[in-house]
């Protein structure tokens, strides 16, 4: 069958001579992706290539049989199967005529007697440690010829995923493990076999014991991409205060982390939580005159520092905007890990305080990427090429860096200084201002008021992927709503 490659990828990046038309069918370096993303590959555990994932391992990724073959978790080993996840597979001939091998299944209870699900009690299934098998990853620089800055990262590794350590340092540690939220109780299920809702002759040795309501748990892995978005809506709240003085509307916003036991967002570093603040008079948007601006993690098709040619934006389209911001020192918000424990402060922490200056709309673009604006572009320290208009939760993300608001993300950089890169290319974590459980972050904004009673809208959304990557790959990745206040 046909094979295609779009943009950069793990295999061509990590294997010199691979890519540029050459297929990577026998890579020497794989990034260890399959150890967590396709852990059910048949055969040897660990060190496999995602190209080995076929059948169930390809179609279902982390499927039932993977987790329930975990006997223990070794936190000192590398992430994934063959390392931190101590997986035991059966090898005894079966005494059940319909099976070739006796099943060996680990789980949270000791009295499953179904001969097709020979259960062994493993206490780790009641602990967050089970999730640490994959949701905790430190990584060295992987691209050949690159390395991390040992002055910043003395052990030579970067914190790529730290969900388990975030939980361990948070208020739910020892109280509510990951399973409490991401595998909520199923009040209607009599057991995990999800048989009829009332006892029947099948209950017992074959179908399982009938258990008290709520004992059995959903295996739906509720999270930010769940259809109902219930966990996201519990994760954070918004508080908005407004004041009008002469022709200026002032807005104060507080984003408060109220729900999750880990940082928000957590997991894959591509993710961001974006606060967008806007104001209108009779439906007409008001011009932002100052206040906090959304950083690069809010999405930009391109960015330039002062001194660049702000009249040239290759790839720009008519109707897009260029937003200009001013650098105003560094924010000192609560942050997770080394960005909040004093290891990195000020410029080293990279949480730049951006202030809105202004914007202009592109009315024409020539073949060299030179643009014409509807108004003179204001001066400032940094400019972002973005999309006009406000965020629309439930729709594809817009590039809104430089607009009024803020963004919370762990931002990775590669050896060329590109930001929000895939973690296999990372040589530094340049900033990490993600929301810490139980803390709050405050922002202020000003608009030119043209009526007596302007309407202010503050939106908080979760974004799974950068807009540039979504566009490059042709993916669908809508912004998911967390909270909204209209005042």
């Amino acid at each position: 069958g046909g094979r295609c490659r779009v943009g950069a990828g793990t295999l061509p990046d990590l294997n010199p001579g691979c890519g540029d038309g050459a297929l990577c069918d026998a890579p020497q370096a794989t990034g260890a992706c399959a150890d967590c993303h396709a852990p059910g590959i048949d055969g040897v555990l660990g060190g496999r290539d995602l190209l080995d994932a076929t059948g169930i391992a390809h179609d279902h990724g982390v499927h039932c049989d993977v987790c329930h073959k975990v006997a223990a978790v070794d936190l000192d080993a590398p992430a994934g199967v063959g390392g931190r996840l101590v997986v035991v597979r059966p090898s005894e001939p079966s005494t059940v005529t319909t099976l070739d091998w006796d099943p060996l299944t680990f789980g949270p209870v000791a009295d499953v007697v179904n001969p097709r699900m020979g259960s062994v009690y493993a206490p780790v299934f009641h602990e967050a440690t089970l999730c640490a098998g994959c949701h905790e990853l430190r990584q060295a620089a992987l691209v050949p010829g690159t390395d991390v800055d040992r002055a910043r990262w003395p052990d030579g590794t970067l914190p790529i995923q730290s969900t388990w350590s975030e939980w361990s340092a948070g208020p739910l540690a020892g109280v509510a493990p990951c399973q409490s939220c991401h595998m909520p109780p199923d009040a209607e299920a009599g057991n995990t076999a999800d048989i009829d809702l009332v006892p029947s002759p099948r209950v017992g040795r074959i179908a399982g014991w009938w258990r008290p309501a709520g004992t059995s748990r959903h295996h739906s892995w509720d999270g930010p991409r769940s259809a109902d978005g219930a966990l996201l809506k519990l994760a954070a709240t918004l508080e908005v205060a407004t004041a009008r003085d002469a022709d200026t509307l002032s807005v104060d916003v507080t984003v408060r982390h109220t729900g999750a036991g880990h940082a928000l967002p957590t997991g894959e570093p591509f993710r961001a939580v974006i606060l967008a603040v806007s104001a209108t008079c009779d439906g007409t948007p008001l011009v932002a005159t100052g206040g906090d601006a959304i950083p690069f993690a809010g999405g930009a098709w391109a960015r330039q520092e002062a001194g660049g040619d702000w009249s040239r934006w290759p790839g720009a389209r008519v109707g897009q905007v260029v937003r200009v911001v001013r650098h105003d020192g560094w924010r000192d918000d609560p942050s997770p890990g080394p960005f909040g424990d004093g290891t990195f402060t000020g410029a080293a922490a990279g949480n730049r305080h951006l202030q809105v200056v202004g914007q202009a709309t592109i009315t024409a673009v020539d073949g060299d990427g030179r643009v014409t604006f509807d108004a003179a572009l204001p001066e400032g320290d940094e400019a972002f090429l973005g999309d006009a208009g406000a965020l629309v939760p439930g729709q594809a993300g817009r590039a809104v860096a430089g607009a009024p608001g803020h963004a919370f993300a762990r931002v990775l950089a590669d050896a060329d200084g590109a930001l929000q890169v895939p973690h296999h290319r990372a040589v530094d974590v340049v900033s990490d201002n993600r929301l810490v459980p139980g803390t709050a972050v405050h922002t202020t904004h000003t608009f030119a008021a043209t009526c007596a009673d302007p309407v202010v809208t503050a939106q908080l959304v979760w974004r799974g992927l950068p807009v540039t990557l979504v566009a490059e790959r042709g993916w669908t990745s809508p912004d998911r709503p967390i909270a909204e206040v209209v005042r």
Side-chain angles (χ1 to χ4, degrees):
R3 301 279 291 278
C4 66
R5 296 286 185 269
V6 180
T10 305
L11 298 185
D13 285 346
L14 304 190
N15 295 273
C18 188
D20 295 326
L23 295 180
C24 302
D25 288 328
Q28 298 300 306
T30 66
C33 305
D35 294 351
C36 280
H37 290 282
I41 295 175
D42 289 343
V44 176
L45 289 170
R48 304 293 293 277
D49 174 15
L50 283 173
L51 296 174
D52 294 338
T54 60
I56 292 175
H58 176 274
D59 296 341
H60 299 283
V62 184
H63 52 80
C64 309
D65 199 53
V66 171
C67 292
H68 286 284
K69 290 294 188 290
V70 175
V73 176
D74 179 2
L75 292 175
D76 294 325
V81 295
R84 199 175 299 154
L85 291 173
V86 180
V87 173
V88 177
R89 289 172 167 170
S91 58
E92 298 83 4
S94 175
T95 57
V96 180
T97 58
T98 57
L99 299 176
D100 294 329
W101 306 99
D102 262 339
L104 178 62
T105 302
F106 296 94
V109 294
D111 60 346
V112 175
V113 292
N114 186 320
R116 292 171 176 79
M117 293 181 64
S119 182
V120 177
Y121 170 66
V124 73
F125 279 80
H126 292 284
E127 303 167 359
T129 311
L130 179 66
C131 303
C134 278
H135 293 273
E136 187 76 14
L137 174 66
R138 294 190 68 92
Q139 171 192 289
L142 299 181
V143 175
T146 67
D147 198 1
V148 303
D149 182 349
R150 297 303 179 105
R152 286 172 62 81
W153 309 101
D155 71 350
T157 66
L158 306 174
I160 300 300
Q161 291 210 30
S162 52
T163 303
W164 181 76
S165 57
E166 293 160 16
W167 173 87
S168 298
L172 298 186
V175 178
C178 315
Q179 299 90 320
S180 299
C181 294
H182 298 284
M183 295 183 66
D186 186 347
E188 296 182 347
N191 60 32
T192 52
D194 197 22
I195 59 173
D196 296 340
L197 299 182
V198 295
S200 75
R202 296 187 296 145
V203 175
R205 182 171 177 82
I206 300 301
W209 305 117
W210 193 258
R211 303 189 185 279
T215 303
S216 299
R217 291 185 171 271
H218 285 283
H219 284 58
S220 54
W221 320 114
D222 291 358
R225 291 192 175 92
S226 298
D228 60 5
L231 285 184
L232 272 181
K233 293 171 184 175
L234 294 172
T237 60
L238 286 176
E239 301 163 17
V240 178
T242 64
R244 188 176 181 277
D245 181 14
D247 296 329
T248 299
L249 170 65
S250 299
V251 182
D252 293 328
V253 179
T254 299
V255 182
R256 198 176 300 279
H257 186 314
T258 55
H262 46 68
L264 182 69
T266 193
E268 169 56 53
F270 275 145
R271 297 172 176 176
V273 166
I274 303 170
L275 167 69
V277 182
S278 59
T280 60
C281 275
D282 300 322
T284 301
L286 299 185
V287 174
T289 57
D292 292 293
I294 300 173
F296 181 77
W301 299 110
R303 60 187 283 267
Q304 295 189 54
E305 299 279 348
D309 185 356
W310 289 5
S311 69
R312 186 171 182 271
W313 296 89
R317 302 188 305 274
V318 171
Q320 290 183 322
V321 298
V322 172
R323 298 185 176 97
V324 178
V325 299
R326 173 172 54 87
H327 296 169
D328 189 21
W330 306 94
R331 296 184 64 98
D332 188 25
D333 300 324
S335 300
F339 290 87
D341 66 8
T343 301
F344 300 121
T345 58
N351 188 11
R352 192 180 288 279
H353 193 184
L354 300 184
Q355 295 281 298
V356 168
V357 174
Q359 68 179 51
T361 301
I362 296 173
T363 58
V365 185
D366 69 14
D368 192 40
R370 296 204 173 275
V371 302
T372 302
F373 294 108
D374 66 341
L377 201 62
E379 295 183 355
D381 297 310
E382 191 172 4
F384 302 102
L385 175 64
D387 299 314
L391 294 179
V392 183
Q395 294 186 12
R398 294 180 177 177
V400 292
H406 199 31
F408 307 91
R410 169 182 278 161
V411 179
L412 306 183
D414 66 14
D416 297 324
L419 302 178
Q420 278 198 304
V421 298
H423 66 76
H424 74 270
R425 292 188 60 87
V427 299
D428 194 11
V429 181
V430 296
S431 65
D432 187 348
N433 71 333
R434 293 173 301 136
L435 289 158
V436 175
T439 65
V441 171
H442 306 279
T443 63
T444 60
H445 315 274
T446 59
F447 299 86
T450 58
C451 63
D453 297 305
V455 175
V456 173
T457 301
Q459 298 172 304
L460 195 66
V461 303
W462 179 94
R463 178 173 292 176
L465 294 165
V467 293
T468 50
L469 186 62
V470 171
E472 177 188 85
R473 303 298 170 104
W475 292 338
T476 299
S477 183
D479 288 342
R480 301 198 174 258
I482 299 176
E484 179 178 272
V485 172
V486 179
R487 176 160 299 164

